[in-house]
Amino acid sequence: VQYLFLVFKDGQDMCRLDSITLGPEPPLPYVYPFEPDVTPESTPTQTPTPTPATEPSPRLDYTKKGIFTVSDSQAIEVKGNTVYTGFIDENNTNNNGLLAIDVSTPGNPVPLSMIPFSGLIVDIIVRDNYLFAVETGFGIHIIDITDNYQPHIIVTYPCSPKPYSHIAVDGNTLYCATAYTDLLIIDITNKSQPVLLSTFTDTKNIQNISVNGDIAYVTINSYTYSPYENGIVTLDVSDKTNPVPLHST
């Protein structure tokens, strides 16, 4: 059995943490229209049926396991039986933070701990017993999650005036897209003392990044509708102190 955890917004700015069960063979694509939450004041609605994007397949078995409702969330990561997600409460900024949730019983998700933050967590990556969380406008938090009941921040790599967007971690190197024109390459060998190795600057905004060995792929966006202004830049990062562009599309 495999579980897929989803975070999404509905019309009331609430996020759901859902899961689906996959059969043993590769499934055909489906669209699952989730029903709205039912409250005592509302009339229960009939549970919708999954709508096939192509022909129905007996290989696919969707089973919604559990809902954990939080305020606005844009990032999620899973390690073992724990889900980590950031959230903000637009009505009370004191409720913003990072949640650790026990999903060992998928139909009954249980919160384990929360670290309060002021901003929005836009990306989360877990490696071993460390969690890297990007808080827009503040920085990259490196968090020890050895004990999910008592996670603690080891260090925060501060932002410049630019908000950070997305990150990638490869070995002892962290790559950070700033959502502006810079890509930061940071040595995290010593988790308590991250060291900036280099900065790659493009003429357009760097939004996201994925790393495969010595090659990094970054998405760029000029916030125009022209296909010639947006695309992917391929970088040779074999020398972390001197990233070299190889190709752009």
Side-chain angles (χ1 to χ4, degrees):
V1 177
Q2 296 176 320
Y3 295 106
L4 172 64
F5 299 92
L6 307 175
V7 165
F8 69 94
K9 262 188 174 182
D10 67 13
Q12 297 178 339
D13 285 336
M14 301 301 289
C15 295
R16 294 180 178 181
L17 191 64
D18 282 5
S19 61
I20 61 173
T21 304
L22 302 180
E25 299 180 36
L28 295 175
Y30 273 70
V31 177
Y32 192 104
F34 289 105
E35 71 273 20
D37 290 333
V38 177
T39 62
E41 293 77 18
S42 64
T43 301
T45 56
Q46 184 177 0
T47 301
T49 302
T51 303
T54 57
E55 292 298 320
S57 168
R59 301 192 304 263
L60 187 61
D61 174 31
Y62 277 97
T63 305
K64 188 162 67 170
K65 292 296 183 180
I67 297 176
F68 190 91
T69 304
V70 297
S71 297
D72 189 4
S73 177
Q74 294 189 14
I76 187 170
E77 180 79 323
V78 181
K79 180 190 177 186
N81 290 322
T82 307
V83 167
Y84 304 90
T85 185
F87 66 95
I88 61 171
D89 186 339
E90 296 177 355
N91 298 317
N92 184 357
T93 56
N94 291 327
N95 289 338
N96 300 348
L98 174 73
L99 272 175
I101 305 167
D102 182 358
V103 292
S104 54
T105 303
N108 184 33
V110 177
L112 300 176
S113 61
M114 186 194 84
I115 297 178
F117 291 120
S118 298
L120 174 62
I121 302 297
V122 294
D123 202 6
I124 297 170
I125 290 179
V126 172
R127 291 292 183 272
D128 299 323
N129 290 324
Y130 298 100
L131 182 147
F132 304 86
V134 182
E135 183 183 6
T136 297
F138 289 88
I140 305 169
H141 305 288
I142 301 179
I143 302 170
D144 186 330
I145 54 170
T146 303
D147 182 353
N148 281 312
Y149 289 97
Q150 294 182 323
H152 65 275
I153 300 173
I154 300 173
V155 70
T156 298
Y157 189 87
C159 281
S160 66
K162 305 172 183 178
Y164 292 164
S165 180
H166 292 283
I167 56 175
V169 174
D170 183 57
N172 288 318
T173 306
L174 184 147
Y175 301 82
C176 177
T178 63
Y180 280 82
T181 57
D182 294 335
L183 170 70
L184 309 181
I185 301 180
I186 303 167
D187 185 347
I188 54 171
T189 302
N190 184 342
K191 301 298 186 292
S192 62
Q193 293 183 337
V195 177
L196 180 65
L197 298 176
S198 61
T199 301
F200 171 78
T201 301
D202 196 88
T203 58
K204 305 176 183 66
N205 296 324
I206 296 176
Q207 296 293 322
N208 210 335
I209 179 168
S210 181
V211 180
N212 183 15
D214 290 335
I215 303 297
Y217 304 89
V218 297
T219 58
I220 55 174
N221 191 325
S222 61
Y223 296 103
T224 71
Y225 292 102
S226 170
Y228 304 103
E229 297 294 327
N230 309 310
I232 299 173
V233 174
T234 305
L235 299 174
D236 180 345
V237 291
S238 54
D239 181 356
K240 305 297 188 288
T241 63
N242 183 34
V244 178
L246 299 176
H247 182 69
S248 62
T249 59

